[in-house]
Coordinates of all heavy atoms in Angstrom, one line a residue:
L31 N 120.4 80.7 145.6 CA 121.0 81.9 146.0 C 120.2 82.5 147.2 O 119.1 82.0 147.4 CB 121.1 82.9 144.9 CG 122.1 82.5 143.7 CD1 121.9 83.6 142.6 CD2 123.5 82.5 144.2
C32 N 120.8 83.4 147.8 CA 120.1 84.1 149.0 C 119.7 85.5 148.6 O 120.5 86.2 147.9 CB 121.0 84.1 150.2 SG 121.4 82.4 150.8
W33 N 118.5 85.9 148.9 CA 118.0 87.3 148.5 C 117.7 88.1 149.8 O 117.2 87.5 150.8 CB 116.7 87.1 147.7 CG 117.0 86.6 146.3 CD1 117.5 85.3 146.0 CD2 116.7 87.2 145.1 NE1 117.5 85.2 144.6 CE2 117.0 86.4 144.1 CE3 116.2 88.5 144.8 CZ2 116.9 86.7 142.7 CZ3 116.0 88.8 143.5 CH2 116.4 88.0 142.4
N34 N 118.0 89.3 149.7 CA 117.7 90.3 150.8 C 116.9 91.4 150.1 O 117.5 92.1 149.3 CB 119.0 90.8 151.5 CG 118.7 91.7 152.6 OD1 117.7 92.4 152.7 ND2 119.7 91.8 153.5
V35 N 115.7 91.5 150.5 CA 114.8 92.6 149.9 C 114.3 93.4 151.0 O 113.5 92.9 151.9 CB 113.6 91.9 149.1 CG1 112.8 93.1 148.5 CG2 114.1 91.0 148.0
A36 N 114.8 94.6 151.1 CA 114.4 95.6 152.2 C 114.6 95.0 153.6 O 113.7 95.1 154.4 CB 113.0 96.0 151.9
G37 N 115.7 94.3 153.8 CA 116.0 93.7 155.1 C 115.4 92.3 155.3 O 115.7 91.7 156.3
Q38 N 114.5 91.8 154.5 CA 114.0 90.5 154.6 C 114.9 89.5 153.8 O 115.2 89.8 152.7 CB 112.6 90.4 154.0 CG 111.6 91.2 154.8 CD 110.2 91.0 154.4 OE1 109.7 89.8 154.4 NE2 109.5 92.0 153.9
K39 N 115.3 88.4 154.5 CA 116.2 87.5 153.9 C 115.7 86.1 153.7 O 115.0 85.6 154.6 CB 117.5 87.5 154.7 CG 118.2 88.8 154.9 CD 119.3 88.7 155.9 CE 119.9 90.0 156.2 NZ 121.0 90.0 157.2
A40 N 116.0 85.5 152.6 CA 115.7 84.1 152.4 C 116.6 83.5 151.3 O 117.0 84.2 150.4 CB 114.2 83.9 152.0
C41 N 116.9 82.2 151.4 CA 117.6 81.5 150.4 C 116.7 80.5 149.7 O 115.8 79.9 150.4 CB 118.8 80.7 151.0 SG 120.0 81.8 151.8
G42 N 116.9 80.3 148.4 CA 116.1 79.3 147.7 C 116.6 79.2 146.3 O 117.4 79.9 145.8
P43 N 116.0 78.2 145.6 CA 116.3 78.0 144.2 C 116.2 79.3 143.4 O 115.2 80.0 143.6 CB 115.4 76.9 143.7 CG 114.8 76.3 145.0 CD 114.9 77.3 146.0
T44 N 117.2 79.6 142.6 CA 117.1 80.9 141.8 C 117.4 80.5 140.3 O 118.4 79.9 140.0 CB 118.2 81.9 142.3 OG1 117.9 82.2 143.7 CG2 118.2 83.1 141.5
V45 N 116.5 81.0 139.5 CA 116.7 80.9 138.0 C 117.3 82.1 137.5 O 116.8 83.2 137.7 CB 115.3 80.6 137.3 CG1 115.5 80.5 135.8 CG2 114.7 79.3 137.9
A46 N 118.4 82.0 136.8 CA 119.0 83.1 136.0 C 118.4 83.2 134.7 O 118.8 82.6 133.7 CB 120.6 83.0 136.0
D47 N 117.3 83.9 134.6 CA 116.3 83.7 133.5 C 116.5 84.8 132.4 O 116.3 86.0 132.6 CB 114.9 83.9 134.1 CG 113.8 83.5 133.1 OD1 114.1 83.4 131.9 OD2 112.6 83.5 133.5
T48 N 117.0 84.4 131.2 CA 117.2 85.4 130.1 C 115.9 85.7 129.4 O 115.9 86.7 128.7 CB 118.2 84.8 129.1 OG1 117.6 83.6 128.6 CG2 119.5 84.5 129.7
G49 N 114.9 84.9 129.6 CA 113.7 85.2 128.8 C 112.6 85.9 129.6 O 111.5 86.2 129.0
N50 N 112.8 86.2 130.8 CA 111.7 86.9 131.6 C 112.1 88.3 131.7 O 113.2 88.7 132.1 CB 111.6 86.2 133.0 CG 110.3 86.5 133.6 OD1 109.4 87.2 133.1 ND2 110.1 86.0 134.8
T51 N 111.2 89.2 131.4 CA 111.5 90.7 131.4 C 111.6 91.3 132.8 O 112.0 92.4 132.9 CB 110.5 91.5 130.5 OG1 109.2 91.2 131.1 CG2 110.5 91.1 129.1
F52 N 111.1 90.5 133.8 CA 111.3 91.0 135.2 C 111.7 89.9 136.0 O 111.5 88.7 135.7 CB 109.9 91.6 135.7 CG 108.8 90.7 135.6 CD1 108.5 89.7 136.6 CD2 107.9 90.7 134.5 CE1 107.5 88.8 136.5 CE2 106.8 89.9 134.4 CZ 106.6 88.9 135.4
G53 N 112.4 90.2 137.1 CA 112.7 89.2 138.1 C 111.6 89.0 139.1 O 110.6 89.8 139.1
F54 N 111.6 87.9 139.8 CA 110.6 87.7 140.8 C 111.2 87.1 142.1 O 112.2 86.4 142.0 CB 109.4 87.0 140.3 CG 109.6 85.5 139.9 CD1 109.7 84.5 140.9 CD2 109.6 85.2 138.6 CE1 109.9 83.2 140.5 CE2 109.8 83.8 138.2 CZ 109.9 82.8 139.2
V55 N 110.5 87.3 143.2 CA 110.8 86.7 144.5 C 109.6 85.9 144.9 O 108.5 86.4 144.8 CB 111.3 87.7 145.6 CG1 112.6 88.3 145.2 CG2 110.3 88.7 145.8
G56 N 109.8 84.7 145.4 CA 108.7 83.9 145.9 C 108.0 84.4 147.1 O 108.6 84.7 148.1
S57 N 106.7 84.6 147.0 CA 105.9 85.1 148.1 C 105.9 84.1 149.3 O 105.7 84.5 150.4 CB 104.5 85.4 147.7 OG 103.9 84.3 147.2
G58 N 106.2 82.8 149.0 CA 106.3 81.9 150.1 C 107.6 82.0 150.9 O 107.7 81.6 152.1
L59 N 108.7 82.6 150.3 CA 110.0 82.7 150.9 C 110.1 84.1 151.5 O 110.7 84.3 152.6 CB 111.1 82.5 149.9 CG 111.2 81.1 149.4 CD1 112.2 81.0 148.2 CD2 111.7 80.1 150.5
L60 N 109.5 85.1 150.9 CA 109.6 86.5 151.4 C 108.2 87.1 151.3 O 107.8 87.9 150.4 CB 110.5 87.4 150.5 CG 112.0 87.0 150.6 CD1 112.8 87.8 149.6 CD2 112.5 87.3 152.0
P61 N 107.3 86.7 152.2 CA 105.9 87.0 152.1 C 105.5 88.5 152.4 O 104.5 89.0 152.0 CB 105.2 86.1 153.1 CG 106.3 85.8 154.1 CD 107.6 85.8 153.3
N62 N 106.4 89.2 153.2 CA 106.1 90.5 153.6 C 106.8 91.7 152.9 O 106.9 92.8 153.4 CB 106.3 90.6 155.1 CG 105.5 89.7 155.9 OD1 104.3 89.5 155.7 ND2 106.1 88.9 156.8
V63 N 107.2 91.4 151.7 CA 107.9 92.4 150.9 C 106.9 93.5 150.5 O 105.8 93.1 149.9 CB 108.6 91.8 149.6 CG1 109.1 92.9 148.7 CG2 109.7 90.9 150.1
P64 N 107.1 94.8 150.8 CA 106.2 95.8 150.3 C 106.0 95.8 148.8 O 107.0 95.7 148.1 CB 106.9 97.1 150.8 CG 107.8 96.7 151.8 CD 108.3 95.3 151.5
N65 N 104.8 95.8 148.3 CA 104.5 95.7 146.9 C 103.3 96.5 146.5 O 102.4 96.8 147.4 CB 104.4 94.2 146.5 CG 103.1 93.6 147.0 OD1 102.1 93.6 146.3 ND2 103.2 93.0 148.2
T66 N 103.3 96.9 145.3 CA 102.1 97.6 144.7 C 101.7 96.8 143.5 O 102.4 96.6 142.5 CB 102.6 99.0 144.2 OG1 103.1 99.7 145.4 CG2 101.4 99.8 143.7
S67 N 100.5 96.2 143.6 CA 99.9 95.4 142.5 C 100.9 94.3 142.1 O 101.0 93.9 140.9 CB 99.6 96.3 141.3 OG 98.7 97.2 141.6
G68 N 101.6 93.7 143.1 CA 102.5 92.6 142.8 C 103.9 93.0 142.5 O 104.8 92.2 142.7
F69 N 104.2 94.2 142.1 CA 105.5 94.6 141.9 C 106.1 95.2 143.2 O 105.5 95.9 143.9 CB 105.6 95.7 140.8 CG 105.5 95.1 139.4 CD1 104.3 95.1 138.8 CD2 106.6 94.6 138.8 CE1 104.1 94.5 137.5 CE2 106.4 94.0 137.5 CZ 105.2 94.0 136.9
V70 N 107.4 94.8 143.5 CA 108.1 95.2 144.7 C 108.2 96.7 144.7 O 108.4 97.3 143.6 CB 109.5 94.5 144.8 CG1 110.3 95.1 145.9 CG2 109.3 93.0 144.9
A71 N 107.8 97.3 145.8 CA 107.8 98.8 145.9 C 109.1 99.5 145.5 O 110.1 98.9 145.6 CB 107.4 99.2 147.3
P72 N 109.0 100.6 144.8 CA 110.2 101.4 144.4 C 111.1 101.8 145.5 O 110.6 102.0 146.7 CB 109.6 102.6 143.7 CG 108.1 102.4 143.6 CD 107.7 101.4 144.5
G73 N 112.4 101.9 145.2 CA 113.3 102.4 146.2 C 113.8 101.4 147.2 O 114.6 101.8 148.2
L74 N 113.5 100.1 147.1 CA 113.9 99.2 148.1 C 115.3 98.6 147.8 O 115.5 98.3 146.6 CB 112.9 98.0 148.3 CG 111.5 98.4 148.7 CD1 110.6 97.2 148.8 CD2 111.6 99.1 150.1
P75 N 116.2 98.4 148.7 CA 117.5 97.8 148.5 C 117.3 96.3 148.3 O 116.6 95.6 149.0 CB 118.3 98.1 149.7 CG 117.3 98.3 150.8 CD 116.1 98.9 150.1
I76 N 118.0 95.8 147.2 CA 118.0 94.4 146.9 C 119.4 93.9 146.8 O 120.3 94.5 146.3 CB 117.3 94.1 145.5 CG1 116.0 94.9 145.3 CG2 117.2 92.6 145.2 CD1 114.9 94.4 146.1
S77 N 119.7 92.7 147.4 CA 121.0 92.1 147.2 C 120.8 90.6 147.0 O 119.8 90.0 147.5 CB 122.0 92.3 148.3 OG 121.5 91.7 149.5
I78 N 121.6 90.0 146.1 CA 121.6 88.6 145.9 C 123.0 88.1 146.3 O 124.0 88.6 145.8 CB 121.3 88.3 144.4 CG1 120.0 88.9 143.9 CG2 121.3 86.8 144.1 CD1 119.8 88.9 142.4
S79 N 123.1 87.0 147.1 CA 124.4 86.5 147.5 C 124.4 85.0 147.5 O 123.4 84.3 147.3 CB 124.6 87.0 148.9 OG 123.6 86.5 149.8
T80 N 125.6 84.5 147.6 CA 125.8 83.0 147.7 C 125.4 82.6 149.1 O 125.4 83.4 150.0 CB 127.2 82.6 147.4 OG1 128.1 83.4 148.3 CG2 127.6 83.0 145.9
P81 N 125.0 81.3 149.2 CA 124.6 80.8 150.5 C 125.7 80.8 151.5 O 126.9 80.7 151.2 CB 124.1 79.4 150.2 CG 124.0 79.3 148.8 CD 124.9 80.3 148.2
P82 N 125.4 80.8 152.9 CA 126.4 80.6 153.9 C 127.0 79.2 153.7 O 126.4 78.3 153.1 CB 125.6 80.7 155.2 CG 124.3 81.3 154.8 CD 124.1 81.0 153.4
P83 N 128.2 78.9 154.2 CA 128.9 79.8 155.2 C 129.8 80.8 154.5 O 130.4 81.7 155.1 CB 129.8 78.7 155.9 CG 130.1 77.7 154.9 CD 128.8 77.6 154.0
R84 N 130.0 80.7 153.2 CA 130.9 81.7 152.5 C 130.1 82.7 151.7 O 130.3 82.8 150.5 CB 131.9 81.0 151.6 CG 132.9 80.2 152.4 CD 134.0 79.7 151.6 NE 133.7 78.4 151.0 CZ 134.5 77.8 150.1 NH1 135.5 78.4 149.6 NH2 134.1 76.6 149.7
S85 N 129.1 83.3 152.3 CA 128.3 84.3 151.6 C 129.1 85.4 150.9 O 130.0 85.9 151.5 CB 127.3 84.9 152.6 OG 126.4 83.9 153.1
R86 N 128.7 85.7 149.7 CA 129.3 86.7 148.9 C 128.3 87.4 148.1 O 127.5 86.7 147.4 CB 130.5 86.2 148.1 CG 131.2 87.3 147.3 CD 132.3 86.7 146.4 NE 131.8 85.9 145.3 CZ 131.5 86.4 144.1 NH1 131.5 87.7 143.9 NH2 131.0 85.6 143.2
V87 N 128.1 88.7 148.2 CA 127.1 89.4 147.4 C 127.6 89.4 145.9 O 128.7 89.7 145.6 CB 126.9 90.9 147.9 CG1 126.0 91.6 146.9 CG2 126.4 90.9 149.3
V88 N 126.7 88.9 145.1 CA 127.0 88.8 143.6 C 126.2 89.9 142.9 O 126.5 90.2 141.7 CB 126.7 87.4 143.0 CG1 127.6 86.4 143.6 CG2 125.2 87.0 143.2
R89 N 125.2 90.5 143.5 CA 124.4 91.5 142.8 C 123.8 92.4 143.9 O 123.2 91.9 144.9 CB 123.4 90.8 142.0 CG 122.6 91.7 141.1 CD 123.4 92.0 139.8 NE 122.7 92.9 139.0 CZ 122.9 94.2 139.1 NH1 123.7 94.7 139.9 NH2 122.2 95.1 138.4
A90 N 123.9 93.7 143.7 CA 123.2 94.6 144.7 C 122.6 95.8 143.8 O 123.3 96.3 143.0 CB 124.1 95.1 145.7
Y91 N 121.4 96.2 144.1 CA 120.8 97.3 143.4 C 119.6 97.7 144.2 O 119.4 97.3 145.3 CB 120.4 96.8 141.9 CG 119.4 95.7 141.9 CD1 118.0 95.9 141.7 CD2 119.8 94.4 142.0 CE1 117.1 94.9 141.7 CE2 118.9 93.3 142.0 CZ 117.6 93.6 141.8 OH 116.7 92.6 141.8
D92 N 118.8 98.6 143.6 CA 117.5 98.9 144.2 C 116.4 99.0 143.2 O 116.7 98.9 142.0 CB 117.6 100.2 145.1 CG 117.8 101.5 144.2 OD1 116.9 101.7 143.3 OD2 118.7 102.2 144.5
T93 N 115.2 99.0 143.6 CA 114.1 98.9 142.7 C 113.8 100.2 142.0 O 112.8 100.3 141.2 CB 112.8 98.4 143.4 OG1 112.6 99.2 144.6 CG2 112.9 96.9 143.7
N94 N 114.7 101.2 142.1 CA 114.6 102.4 141.3 C 115.7 102.4 140.2 O 115.8 103.3 139.4 CB 114.9 103.7 142.1 CG 113.6 104.1 142.9 OD1 112.5 103.8 142.5 ND2 113.8 104.9 143.9
A95 N 116.4 101.3 140.1 CA 117.5 101.1 139.1 C 117.0 101.3 137.7 O 115.8 100.9 137.4 CB 118.2 99.8 139.3
S96 N 117.8 101.7 136.8 CA 117.5 101.9 135.4 C 117.2 100.5 134.8 O 117.7 99.5 135.2 CB 118.5 102.6 134.7 OG 119.7 101.9 134.6
V97 N 116.5 100.5 133.6 CA 116.2 99.3 132.9 C 117.5 98.6 132.5 O 117.7 97.4 132.5 CB 115.3 99.6 131.7 CG1 115.2 98.4 130.8 CG2 114.0 100.0 132.1
A98 N 118.5 99.4 132.1 CA 119.8 98.8 131.7 C 120.5 98.1 132.8 O 121.3 97.2 132.6 CB 120.7 99.9 131.1
D99 N 120.1 98.4 134.0 CA 120.7 97.8 135.2 C 119.9 96.6 135.7 O 120.4 95.5 135.9 CB 120.9 98.8 136.3 CG 121.8 98.3 137.5 OD1 122.7 97.6 137.2 OD2 121.4 98.6 138.6
Q100 N 118.6 96.9 135.9 CA 117.8 95.8 136.5 C 116.3 96.1 136.2 O 115.8 97.2 136.4 CB 117.9 95.7 138.0 CG 117.1 94.6 138.6 CD 117.5 93.2 138.2 OE1 118.6 92.9 138.1 NE2 116.5 92.4 138.0
L101 N 115.6 95.2 135.6 CA 114.2 95.4 135.3 C 113.4 95.2 136.6 O 113.9 94.7 137.6 CB 113.8 94.4 134.2 CG 114.5 94.7 132.9 CD1 114.4 93.6 131.9 CD2 114.0 96.0 132.2
P102 N 112.1 95.5 136.5 CA 111.2 95.4 137.8 C 111.3 94.0 138.4 O 111.5 93.0 137.8 CB 109.8 95.7 137.3 CG 110.0 96.5 136.0 CD 111.3 95.9 135.4
L103 N 111.0 94.0 139.7 CA 111.0 92.8 140.5 C 109.6 92.6 141.0 O 108.9 93.5 141.4 CB 111.9 93.0 141.7 CG 112.2 91.8 142.6 CD1 113.0 90.7 141.8 CD2 113.0 92.2 143.8
Y104 N 109.1 91.3 140.9 CA 107.7 91.0 141.1 C 107.6 90.0 142.2 O 108.5 89.1 142.4 CB 107.2 90.4 139.8 CG 105.7 90.1 139.8 CD1 104.8 91.2 139.7 CD2 105.2 88.9 139.8 CE1 103.4 91.0 139.6 CE2 103.8 88.6 139.8 CZ 102.9 89.7 139.7 OH 101.6 89.5 139.6
L105 N 106.6 90.2 143.1 CA 106.4 89.2 144.2 C 105.4 88.2 143.6 O 104.2 88.5 143.3 CB 105.8 90.0 145.4 CG 105.5 89.1 146.6 CD1 106.9 88.7 147.2 CD2 104.7 89.9 147.7
T106 N 105.8 86.9 143.5 CA 105.0 85.9 142.8 C 104.0 85.3 143.7 O 104.0 85.3 144.9 CB 105.9 84.8 142.2 OG1 106.5 84.1 143.3 CG2 106.9 85.3 141.3
V107 N 103.0 84.7 142.9 CA 102.0 83.8 143.6 C 102.2 82.4 143.0 O 103.1 82.2 142.2 CB 100.6 84.4 143.3 CG1 100.4 85.7 143.9 CG2 100.4 84.5 141.8
A108 N 101.4 81.5 143.4 CA 101.5 80.1 143.0 C 101.6 80.0 141.4 O 101.0 80.8 140.8 CB 100.3 79.3 143.4
P109 N 102.4 79.1 140.9 CA 103.1 78.0 141.6 C 104.5 78.3 141.9 O 105.3 77.4 142.2 CB 103.0 76.8 140.5 CG 103.1 77.6 139.2 CD 102.4 78.9 139.4
F110 N 105.0 79.5 141.8 CA 106.4 79.8 142.0 C 106.7 80.5 143.3 O 107.6 81.3 143.4 CB 106.8 80.7 140.9 CG 106.6 80.2 139.5 CD1 105.6 80.7 138.7 CD2 107.4 79.1 139.1 CE1 105.4 80.1 137.4 CE2 107.2 78.5 137.8 CZ 106.2 79.0 137.0
T111 N 106.0 80.1 144.4 CA 106.1 80.8 145.7 C 107.4 80.4 146.4 O 107.8 81.1 147.3 CB 104.9 80.5 146.6 OG1 104.8 79.1 146.8 CG2 103.7 81.0 146.0
Q112 N 108.1 79.3 146.0 CA 109.3 78.8 146.7 C 110.5 79.0 146.0 O 111.5 78.3 146.2 CB 109.1 77.4 147.1 CG 107.9 77.1 148.0 CD 108.0 77.8 149.4 OE1 109.0 77.8 150.0 NE2 106.9 78.4 149.8
M113 N 110.6 80.0 145.0 CA 111.8 80.2 144.2 C 111.9 81.7 143.9 O 111.1 82.5 144.1 CB 111.8 79.3 143.0 CG 110.7 79.7 142.0 SD 110.6 78.6 140.5 CE 112.2 79.0 139.8
F114 N 113.1 82.0 143.2 CA 113.4 83.3 142.8 C 113.8 83.2 141.3 O 114.2 82.2 140.8 CB 114.6 83.9 143.6 CG 114.4 83.9 145.0 CD1 114.9 82.9 145.9 CD2 113.8 85.0 145.6 CE1 114.7 83.0 147.2 CE2 113.6 85.1 147.0 CZ 114.1 84.0 147.8
S115 N 113.7 84.4 140.6 CA 114.2 84.5 139.2 C 114.8 85.8 139.1 O 114.3 86.9 139.5 CB 113.0 84.4 138.3 OG 113.4 84.6 136.9
T116 N 116.0 85.8 138.5 CA 116.7 87.1 138.3 C 116.1 87.9 137.2 O 116.3 89.2 137.2 CB 118.2 86.8 137.9 OG1 118.2 86.2 136.6 CG2 118.9 86.0 138.9
G117 N 115.4 87.3 136.3 CA 115.0 88.1 135.1 C 116.2 88.4 134.2 O 117.3 88.1 134.6
I118 N 115.9 89.0 133.1 CA 117.0 89.2 132.1 C 117.9 90.4 132.5 O 119.0 90.6 132.0 CB 116.4 89.5 130.7 CG1 117.5 89.3 129.6 CG2 115.7 90.8 130.6 CD1 116.9 89.3 128.2
G119 N 117.4 91.2 133.5 CA 118.2 92.4 133.9 C 119.6 92.0 134.4 O 120.5 92.8 134.3
L120 N 119.7 90.8 135.0 CA 121.1 90.4 135.5 C 122.1 90.4 134.4 O 123.2 90.7 134.5 CB 120.9 89.0 136.1 CG 122.2 88.3 136.6 CD1 122.7 88.9 137.9 CD2 122.0 86.8 136.7
Y121 N 121.6 90.0 133.2 CA 122.5 89.9 132.0 C 122.9 91.2 131.4 O 123.9 91.3 130.7 CB 121.9 89.0 130.9 CG 121.8 87.6 131.4 CD1 120.7 87.2 132.1 CD2 122.8 86.6 131.2 CE1 120.5 85.9 132.6 CE2 122.6 85.3 131.6 CZ 121.5 85.0 132.3 OH 121.4 83.7 132.8
Y122 N 122.2 92.3 131.7 CA 122.6 93.6 131.3 C 123.7 94.2 132.1 O 124.6 94.9 131.6 CB 121.4 94.6 131.5 CG 120.3 94.5 130.4 CD1 119.0 94.1 130.8 CD2 120.6 94.8 129.1 CE1 118.0 94.0 129.9 CE2 119.6 94.7 128.2 CZ 118.3 94.3 128.5 OH 117.3 94.2 127.6
A123 N 123.8 93.8 133.4 CA 124.8 94.4 134.3 C 125.9 93.5 134.6 O 127.0 93.9 135.1 CB 124.1 94.8 135.6
D124 N 125.8 92.2 134.3 CA 126.8 91.2 134.7 C 127.1 90.3 133.5 O 126.3 90.1 132.6 CB 126.4 90.4 135.9 CG 126.1 91.3 137.1 OD1 127.1 91.8 137.6 OD2 124.9 91.4 137.5
T125 N 128.3 89.7 133.6 CA 128.6 88.6 132.7 C 128.3 87.3 133.5 O 128.8 87.1 134.6 CB 130.1 88.6 132.3 OG1 130.4 89.8 131.7 CG2 130.5 87.4 131.4
V126 N 127.5 86.5 132.9 CA 127.0 85.2 133.5 C 127.6 84.1 132.7 O 127.4 84.0 131.5 CB 125.5 85.2 133.6 CG1 125.0 83.9 134.3 CG2 124.9 86.4 134.3
G127 N 128.3 83.2 133.4 CA 128.8 82.0 132.7 C 128.8 80.8 133.6 O 128.2 80.8 134.7
Y128 N 129.5 79.7 133.1 CA 129.5 78.5 133.9 C 130.9 78.0 133.9 O 131.6 77.8 132.9 CB 128.6 77.5 133.3 CG 128.3 76.3 134.2 CD1 127.5 76.4 135.3 CD2 129.0 75.1 134.0 CE1 127.3 75.3 136.1 CE2 128.8 74.0 134.8 CZ 127.9 74.1 135.9 OH 127.8 73.0 136.7
D129 N 131.5 77.7 135.1 CA 132.8 77.2 135.3 C 132.7 75.7 135.2 O 132.3 75.0 136.2 CB 133.4 77.7 136.6 CG 134.8 77.2 136.9 OD1 135.2 76.2 136.3 OD2 135.5 77.9 137.6
L130 N 133.2 75.1 134.1 CA 133.1 73.6 133.9 C 134.0 72.9 134.9 O 133.6 71.8 135.3 CB 133.4 73.3 132.5 CG 132.4 73.7 131.4 CD1 133.0 73.4 130.0 CD2 131.1 73.0 131.6
V131 N 135.1 73.4 135.3 CA 136.0 72.8 136.2 C 135.4 72.7 137.6 O 135.5 71.6 138.2 CB 137.4 73.5 136.2 CG1 138.3 72.9 137.3 CG2 138.1 73.5 134.8
R132 N 134.9 73.8 138.1 CA 134.3 73.8 139.4 C 132.9 73.3 139.4 O 132.3 73.1 140.5 CB 134.4 75.2 140.0 CG 135.9 75.6 140.3 CD 135.9 76.9 141.1 NE 137.3 77.2 141.4 CZ 137.8 78.4 141.4 NH1 137.0 79.4 141.1 NH2 139.0 78.6 141.8
G133 N 132.2 73.3 138.3 CA 130.8 72.9 138.2 C 129.9 73.9 138.9 O 129.0 73.5 139.6
Q134 N 130.1 75.2 138.6 CA 129.3 76.2 139.2 C 129.1 77.4 138.3 O 129.9 77.7 137.5 CB 129.8 76.7 140.6 CG 131.2 77.4 140.5 CD 131.8 77.7 141.8 OE1 131.6 77.0 142.8 NE2 132.7 78.6 141.9
A135 N 128.0 78.1 138.6 CA 127.7 79.4 137.8 C 128.7 80.5 138.3 O 129.1 80.5 139.4 CB 126.3 79.8 138.0
V136 N 129.1 81.4 137.4 CA 130.0 82.5 137.7 C 129.3 83.8 137.3 O 128.8 83.9 136.1 CB 131.3 82.3 137.0 CG1 132.2 83.5 137.3 CG2 132.0 81.0 137.4
I137 N 129.1 84.7 138.2 CA 128.5 86.0 137.9 C 129.6 87.1 138.1 O 130.0 87.2 139.3 CB 127.3 86.2 138.7 CG1 126.3 85.1 138.5 CG2 126.7 87.6 138.4 CD1 125.1 85.1 139.4
T138 N 129.9 87.8 137.1 CA 131.0 88.8 137.2 C 130.4 90.2 136.8 O 129.9 90.3 135.7 CB 132.2 88.5 136.3 OG1 132.6 87.1 136.7 CG2 133.3 89.4 136.6
P139 N 130.5 91.2 137.7 CA 130.0 92.5 137.3 C 130.8 93.1 136.0 O 132.0 92.9 135.9 CB 130.3 93.4 138.5 CG 130.5 92.5 139.6 CD 131.0 91.2 139.0
V140 N 130.0 93.7 135.1 CA 130.6 94.4 134.0 C 131.1 95.7 134.5 O 130.4 96.4 135.1 CB 129.6 94.5 132.9 CG1 130.1 95.4 131.7 CG2 129.1 93.2 132.4
P141 N 132.4 96.1 134.1 CA 132.9 97.4 134.6 C 132.0 98.5 134.0 O 131.6 98.5 132.9 CB 134.3 97.4 133.9 CG 134.7 96.0 133.7 CD 133.4 95.3 133.4
Q142 N 131.7 99.5 134.9 CA 130.9 100.6 134.5 C 131.8 101.7 133.9 O 132.8 102.0 134.4 CB 130.1 101.1 135.7 CG 129.2 100.1 136.3 CD 128.1 99.6 135.3 OE1 127.5 100.4 134.7 NE2 127.9 98.3 135.3
G143 N 131.3 102.4 132.9 CA 132.0 103.6 132.4 C 132.4 103.5 131.0 O 132.3 102.7 130.1

């Protein structure tokens, strides 16, 4: 997937991780993301999208979002510098599945309210 963190963009392998309490972005892909002690700075806009040529945003939030929406985002060091992880927060806000016919992951926002 492709990630945009505070205007910095990069595409790379992304794990939709149910077991990690926070998401992370690889420091090798997005090295200049503002951070405090490794955690991405509060209040930054984040979006996750499908790769070009048919890019589509599948998740957008900011680092001030509530725990029910998205847990903290961490700027990783070795050995995970070339990948991303959604953390479990993705599963709080979206329905994540797999389309067997098309052979692809499907992420659908859960209606709010």
